[in-house]
Amino acid sequence: MRRIGLFGSTGSVGTQVLEVVASLPHDLRVTCLAAGSAVERLAEQALRLRPETVVIGERDRYPALRDALAGRFRGEILAGPEGLEEAAASADVDTVVSAVTGIKGL
């Protein structure tokens, strides 16, 4: 099974990637979800997919994500560029899919 880290999970491309993953449950598993600032959508995805890690790119949105997941999510919650970097390099991720636009995606 290939473990996927999906960066930009709440956008249109990211949600399409999640549809592909859902259609191949024996081959693919999302182990990391990351979004820029869409806390509510990211929290919903995290509760549905139960990845090991979720990351919110905008550090000031971390408290809102932490509160949205409090008591319902057991994985790691990271924030900011450092959190994105840590998640991308994680041993829990075989493949990173970047659905992030512009320079931030690089």
Side-chain angles (χ1 to χ4, degrees):
M1 175 166 301
R2 181 153 301 274
R3 299 168 300 172
I4 305 294
L6 178 55
F7 289 61
S9 68
T10 60
S12 63
V13 173
T15 56
Q16 289 175 25
V17 169
L18 291 177
E19 289 176 17
V20 171
V21 170
S23 74
L24 299 167
H26 300 292
D27 300 319
L28 303 172
R29 180 172 183 278
V30 174
T31 56
C32 175
L33 290 169
S37 62
V39 168
E40 295 80 15
R41 282 179 277 172
L42 181 58
E44 181 273 321
Q45 290 173 343
L47 293 172
R48 181 169 38 92
L49 299 170
R50 301 290 179 187
E52 279 79 15
T53 307
V54 293
V55 187
I56 191 75
E58 292 184 13
R59 192 180 334 282
D60 63 331
R61 304 288 292 157
Y62 175 82
L65 180 60
R66 182 195 60 222
D67 293 348
L69 296 174
R72 302 186 299 160
F73 179 74
R74 296 191 186 273
E76 187 172 21
I77 304 170
L78 303 172
E82 300 84 7
L84 294 166
E85 198 173 305
E86 181 180 334
S90 171
D92 292 331
V93 174
D94 297 316
T95 301
V96 172
V97 177
S98 179
V100 179
T101 60
I103 194 73
K104 286 185 178 182
L106 295 175

